[in-house]
Amino acid sequence: MWLPTTGPAAGFAADYLTLHRAFFDRTLTAEQLDSWRRRQLRRVLDQVATGSPFYARHLAGIDLASVTPATLDTLPFTTKAHLREEMLDVLSRPLAEAVFFYETTGTTGPATPCPRDGREVVASNAHVTESWASIFRHHFGDHVPRVGLMGPTEVHSFGDTLGDVARNVGAMNAKIWPYSPVIGFAKALQLMKDLALEVVCCTPGVALTLAKAAEHHGYRLREDFGVKLLFVTGEMCTPALAHNLESVWGADVYNILYGSQEAFVIATACRNKRMHLSQTNYLIEVVDPETGASHGPRGSGELTVTMLVDGVKPLIRYRTGDAVVVGASDCDCELPGDLVQIVGRTLDRIELGGRRRTAGQIESAVLTGVTGSAGYQVVIDHDPGTGGDRLTIRLELLKDLVDDPARVAAGVRERATDALGVPVEVELSDGLDPIVSTGAFVSWKAARIVDRRVADDHETRVAQRMAGRRGYDT
């Protein structure tokens, strides 16, 4: 594992990894974990109040000395809008102390700076390393697999973070981003075959586009590649989508981690394909997305995190915008930490048939029971006959994997109608709009939903512009 060798970050790393090891060995008591959280919260609050111009204003007039993990709701939220408006003023240590500089993609607003120092790198990557090591032992025993990393941009943390994790577990890794103008899909597929890559890390959308590209370039997924595991992240991946990906690739699919550029890795997957929160690094709150009322560390609502690592840019009560369900763990795996299910962005909820549906509910309604699909898109129309809503599901199927497309379409129509309570028709497509590949860059809703009841919003217009520059025939 990479470790800072000098300065305060080196001392933090030594102390943190001792705590981390005890946490994963189950020798860390609840009292010791609570003590760590109280101490780090105090350290972070003192730091941001004096070192961050934004937080000096944002927290002015609050008695921070009285704030504990149990009284976090006395502090104001930090939002994505704050990060876009304040930019480098959110930092509470000098930028020169960072070891990496990243940015958000900037597709729906100004790209916000996301630097990381040695403390943040060690604490975040340690949890991902435990996750990978456990899953690799489960699938490969003593064999260390070869890994392909397909990250979204050059200024995204994906390549550095997962490259470091691959080194930590002793795995060779190749960075082969297929949308790069230097690589492209044809080269990425060639490298996957030539290097006999066994694990591929990418978004669910890229995994589907890779399958379409393989068909286009004359590859046979099962015979020409040795992929055993797909580690997907960066987009929502419901169990239905994961099952479909497994049917396409003949590989086990793990929704491998959950996090963001701004808040790092918040949760990691275990061998049982469940997601565990990194509870040494965050104080977790689940809040009502409408009122902001805190339900505490468990429940259903919008995930809000307070970062406990006093790095360059710790965030206080940061509203992630993600709808989640958090509960106590009953998992028999090696990973500690509460369980979290990601059910979509709060902004991706859609009024449909008089009910508000989450992204996860819609995707599950479309894909449950479907195999061999290369992607889908949902068109929503107002039905003048009934005064309600009606759906058209555009479904693309891979020719070599589906014997009876009409039967698949009929099943989707029946199940989606029952699940969503509105009339549904299914169109089989030979090639979906390229906008469906933009999910990780913009949003699931912009990529997957065509809502003809309303005018296109800003995210949809951004996704449409991006879609014109993306293809898999290179």
Side-chain angles (χ1 to χ4, degrees):
M1 178 178 294
W2 176 86
L3 296 174
T5 57
T6 60
F12 170 88
D15 291 342
Y16 177 85
L17 290 176
T18 299
L19 174 100
H20 173 83
R21 187 71 269 143
F23 182 62
F24 275 83
D25 289 343
R26 305 297 209 283
T27 59
L28 189 72
T29 66
E31 292 75 16
Q32 289 170 325
L33 180 58
D34 288 344
S35 176
W36 162 262
R37 289 171 170 166
R38 289 193 300 272
R39 185 169 67 250
Q40 286 301 120
L41 176 62
R42 172 66 36 236
R43 184 171 292 169
V44 167
L45 289 176
D46 289 346
Q47 175 180 310
V48 300
T50 57
S52 165
F54 162 65
Y55 277 118
R57 300 189 304 272
H58 197 54
L59 302 178
I62 299 174
D63 179 15
L64 297 180
S66 66
V67 177
T68 69
T71 60
L72 277 179
D73 60 358
T74 60
L75 300 176
F77 292 114
T78 302
T79 66
K80 293 179 186 290
H82 287 136
L83 303 187
R84 293 189 184 110
E85 293 162 4
E86 300 290 340
M87 303 299 275
L88 291 171
D89 277 354
V90 180
L91 274 60
S92 53
R93 291 188 188 273
L95 182 60
E97 291 190 14
V99 295
F100 291 110
F101 179 84
Y102 306 117
E103 287 184 335
T104 58
T105 56
T107 51
T108 57
T112 59
C114 303
R116 299 186 185 183
D117 77 350
R119 301 171 183 82
E120 293 158 326
V121 170
V122 168
S124 190
N125 291 7
H127 284 262
V128 190
T129 298
E130 300 285 355
S131 166
W132 282 35
S134 177
I135 293 169
F136 286 174
R137 283 192 297 269
H138 181 62
H139 282 274
F140 299 106
D142 293 333
H143 169 68
V144 181
R146 295 174 292 279
V147 178
L149 304 178
M150 300 185 180
T153 70
E154 291 76 7
V155 289
H156 197 280
S157 62
F158 185 99
D160 289 326
T161 295
L162 298 187
D164 183 53
V165 170
R167 289 191 299 273
N168 292 345
V169 298
M172 184 211 83
N173 71 92
K175 296 180 177 65
I176 49 174
W177 173 227
Y179 283 113
S180 162
V182 177
I183 300 293
F185 277 88
K187 180 68 171 178
L189 289 164
Q190 176 214 317
L191 288 170
M192 286 173 59
K193 181 179 179 181
D194 291 350
L195 300 178
L197 297 182
E198 299 158 284
V199 182
V200 171
C201 307
C202 61
T203 68
V206 166
L208 291 172
T209 306
L210 272 174
K212 290 192 288 184
E215 184 179 75
H216 174 80
H217 290 286
Y219 291 100
R220 299 162 301 170
L221 288 181
R222 308 292 181 89
E223 292 83 358
D224 293 331
F225 303 103
V227 178
K228 303 294 191 299
L229 301 179
L230 282 176
F231 282 178
V232 297
T233 186
E235 299 171 7
M236 180 184 67
C237 185
T238 59
L241 176 54
H243 178 65
N244 176 65
L245 283 169
E246 289 175 342
S247 76
V248 168
W249 280 93
D252 260 333
V253 174
Y254 282 82
N255 198 8
I256 194 62
L257 62 84
Y258 162 69
S260 68
Q261 285 280 78
E262 304 95 331
F264 317 143
V265 178
I266 299 170
T268 50
C270 72
R271 67 189 184 204
N272 295 329
K273 302 184 180 182
R274 305 173 83 180
M275 200 80 74
H276 295 256
L277 289 165
S278 304
Q279 290 183 286
T280 56
N281 296 358
Y282 303 91
L283 292 172
I284 299 296
E285 292 176 88
V286 181
V287 306
D288 186 298
E290 306 296 339
T291 67
S294 178
H295 303 314
R298 293 173 180 165
S300 301
E302 181 181 354
L303 185 70
T304 299
V305 297
T306 296
M307 299 164 69
L308 294 176
V309 177
D310 49 319
V312 175
K313 192 182 176 181
L315 302 177
I316 308 300
R317 298 199 81 205
Y318 174 60
R319 293 185 68 159
T320 64
D322 293 320
V324 300
V325 179
V326 177
S329 177
D330 59 356
C331 196
D332 65 357
C333 72
E334 297 169 296
L335 272 60
D338 280 355
L339 295 172
V340 59
Q341 300 175 52
I342 316 301
V343 296
R345 294 193 319 163
T346 57
L347 291 177
D348 285 344
R349 291 175 297 171
I350 297 171
E351 292 289 340
L352 197 59
R355 293 184 60 185
R356 179 167 282 192
R357 303 289 186 174
T358 67
Q361 288 171 328
I362 294 173
E363 181 168 280
S364 296
V366 173
L367 288 183
T368 294
V370 173
T371 59
S373 171
Y376 73 93
Q377 193 174 41
V378 176
V379 181
I380 308 174
D381 287 295
H382 176 72
D383 189 338
T386 65
D389 301 318
R390 58 184 173 86
L391 298 187
T392 302
I393 296 172
R394 298 169 179 165
L395 189 67
E396 183 175 2
L397 302 175
L398 291 165
K399 299 179 181 63
D400 293 340
L401 297 179
V402 179
D403 295 328
D404 190 349
R407 182 179 58 80
V408 174
V412 170
R413 180 171 56 249
E414 180 180 350
R415 288 188 295 270
T417 299
D418 289 344
L420 299 175
V422 297
V424 174
E425 291 299 325
V426 178
E427 294 179 356
L428 295 178
S429 172
D430 290 332
L432 296 172
D433 188 322
I435 198 173
V436 300
S437 69
T438 65
F441 288 87
V442 185
S443 73
W444 171 89
K445 186 177 180 180
R448 298 292 183 183
I449 300 294
V450 180
D451 192 345
R452 291 175 174 164
R453 302 169 302 177
V454 297
D456 290 343
D457 60 15
H458 174 66
E459 287 190 347
T460 300
R461 293 192 295 272
V462 169
Q464 289 167 343
R465 290 195 297 270
M466 291 188 66
R469 305 194 298 269
R470 301 168 75 83
Y472 56 78
D473 57 350
T474 56

